[in-house]
Amino acid sequence: AFISQECGSSDDSVPNEHVLQNVFERFGTVRCVDIPVCDPYRRKMSSKISGIRTTGFSFGQEVLFEGYVQFVEYISFVRAMDFLRNKKLVKKMPDDRIFEAAIKVDFDKSKHLSNKNIHKRYVERERLKELEKQKISEECQEREKGEGNKTNTRKEYVDRRPQREEKHNRKRNQKRQLKKEHQLNEMIAEEGRKLVIAQRKLESRRLLSTLFWRIEAKLRKKDSRMKMSPRNLEEDLQSELETKLRQALLREQEQRLRKRIEAKMMLGKSDVTNSGGRRD
């Protein structure tokens, strides 16, 4: 009922103070009116000056809101109180639909429409507007700064592209060099293993050759003996036997000579001992 016709039926519609003033002017001259929900800064103010007393209700989908009316004459206030006590507001639509809402009238004990409180709300509203402007300005500055940082970052990215490419090429060349060195080391190690295997094979062949040569020499010696004539074989065996006998005689003579020398040495020691005893 208190929404201006220009607002239509939008969900964002708010009560209209002029409509409220026109309704209550039937009881007398209205000095001023105030609907707190019409002020977007009112909810940010202190409850002592905001005028919002009803909690849990908003005008969006609710039909309840708070309105303050101040008459020029006291008698107008009395007539309004008497007329609206225990009454409902009714609105008839063009299509004959009727809407009604409960209304509660009471004497304002908070002096909401006093000059002092009106001035406080004005000062607080200006302060909130200034804070809002500062916040918007800071957001714009941050946005511009962010855009500038993005631009600088993009520029730095483009400027550092040659450096990145050079770094990438350097890393790629290093990887290639390391790969070549690794392959070369593997080739050297493989050649070393092959050389060790070849040396071992050569040593094995030498050992086998030496062993075969000795076996062959023994076999040749044995064959040469077998091929000798009986006379030569007998002479050879006799010569070998004489050599062995001669060596045995030499060993026996050497042992006898050692025993004689030891006996003489023992005898000499005993003579020296006896002569020393006689002198005493």
Side-chain angles (χ1 to χ4, degrees):
F2 296 99
I3 301 176
S4 175
Q5 296 294 332
E6 297 177 356
C7 297
S9 59
S10 174
D11 293 338
D12 296 333
S13 301
V14 293
N16 190 283
E17 293 180 350
H18 295 289
V19 175
L20 180 65
Q21 183 174 350
N22 292 333
V23 170
F24 278 88
E25 277 184 346
R26 63 175 296 180
F27 304 109
T29 304
V30 176
R31 179 175 178 267
C32 63
V33 297
D34 180 51
I35 301 177
V37 295
C38 294
D39 187 0
Y41 301 98
R42 198 65 62 90
R43 293 188 179 277
K44 298 179 182 179
M45 297 181 185
S46 172
S47 59
K48 294 180 180 180
I49 61 174
S50 65
I52 298 176
R53 298 290 181 268
T54 304
T55 58
F57 292 92
S58 63
F59 189 73
Q61 296 180 353
E62 303 292 340
V63 295
L64 297 179
F65 66 92
E66 294 166 325
Y68 294 85
V69 181
Q70 188 180 51
F71 293 97
V72 175
E73 297 179 355
Y74 181 75
I75 190 63
S76 301
F77 165 73
V78 174
R79 284 198 296 265
M81 292 287 289
D82 292 339
F83 183 81
L84 296 174
R85 186 177 289 110
N86 298 325
K87 297 290 180 66
K88 291 184 178 181
L89 291 177
V90 178
K91 180 177 178 62
K92 186 176 181 180
M93 304 300 291
D95 56 357
D96 294 335
R97 288 185 302 167
I98 296 176
F99 294 92
E100 62 179 20
I103 184 172
K104 180 180 179 181
V105 293
D106 194 7
F107 179 74
D108 179 25
K109 300 177 182 179
S110 63
K111 299 180 180 181
H112 179 75
L113 294 178
S114 64
N115 293 332
K116 181 179 179 180
N117 286 335
I118 291 174
H119 179 70
K120 286 182 179 180
R121 284 193 293 274
Y122 173 78
V123 173
E124 184 67 14
R125 186 182 299 106
E126 294 299 321
R127 187 184 70 83
L128 293 173
K129 286 182 179 180
E130 187 64 26
L131 291 176
E132 186 177 9
K133 289 180 181 179
Q134 291 180 2
K135 184 177 180 181
I136 294 174
S137 177
E138 290 176 357
E139 290 178 354
C140 292
Q141 291 178 0
E142 290 180 358
R143 192 180 303 110
E144 292 176 357
K145 185 177 179 180
E147 292 177 356
N149 291 335
K150 289 181 180 179
T151 303
N152 294 333
T153 303
R154 192 178 300 108
K155 184 178 179 181
E156 290 177 358
Y157 180 81
V158 174
D159 293 340
R160 288 186 298 177
R161 184 174 181 179
Q163 298 178 0
R164 291 196 305 273
E165 291 180 353
E166 182 180 357
K167 185 177 180 180
H168 179 69
N169 293 332
R170 186 166 58 252
K171 287 184 177 180
R172 184 169 55 189
N173 293 332
Q174 289 178 356
K175 288 182 179 179
R176 289 179 179 176
Q177 186 66 24
L178 291 174
K179 186 176 181 180
K180 289 181 180 179
E181 291 179 358
H182 181 68
Q183 292 177 352
L184 181 61
N185 292 332
E186 287 184 350
M187 291 176 61
I188 293 173
E190 184 66 22
E191 293 296 329
R193 287 193 293 270
K194 290 181 179 179
L195 180 60
V196 171
I197 293 172
Q199 289 177 350
R200 290 178 179 176
K201 288 182 178 180
L202 182 60
E203 291 178 358
S204 299
R205 290 178 181 177
R206 288 178 179 175
L207 291 174
L208 290 174
S209 299
T210 303
L211 181 61
F212 290 154
W213 181 81
R214 290 180 179 179
I215 293 172
E216 186 178 359
K218 288 183 178 181
L219 291 175
R220 283 200 303 269
K221 186 176 181 181
K222 186 176 181 180
D223 291 341
S224 62
R225 285 184 176 181
M226 292 178 65
K227 291 179 180 180
M228 292 175 63
S229 60
R231 183 177 180 180
N232 292 334
L233 181 59
E234 184 179 356
E235 291 178 357
D236 189 14
L237 291 174
Q238 186 176 0
S239 176
E240 186 176 354
L241 181 60
E242 289 177 356
T243 302
K244 290 181 179 181
L245 290 173
R246 192 180 298 108
Q247 291 177 356
L249 290 173
L250 288 174
R251 283 196 297 272
E252 186 177 355
Q253 289 178 1
E254 184 179 358
Q255 290 177 359
R256 289 178 180 177
L257 182 60
R258 285 181 180 178
K259 289 180 179 180
R260 289 178 182 177
I261 293 171
E262 290 177 357
K264 288 181 179 181
M265 290 177 66
M266 293 294 294
L267 183 60
K269 287 181 180 180
S270 61
D271 292 341
V272 171
T273 303
N274 293 330
S275 62
R278 285 194 298 268
R279 288 178 183 178
D280 293 338

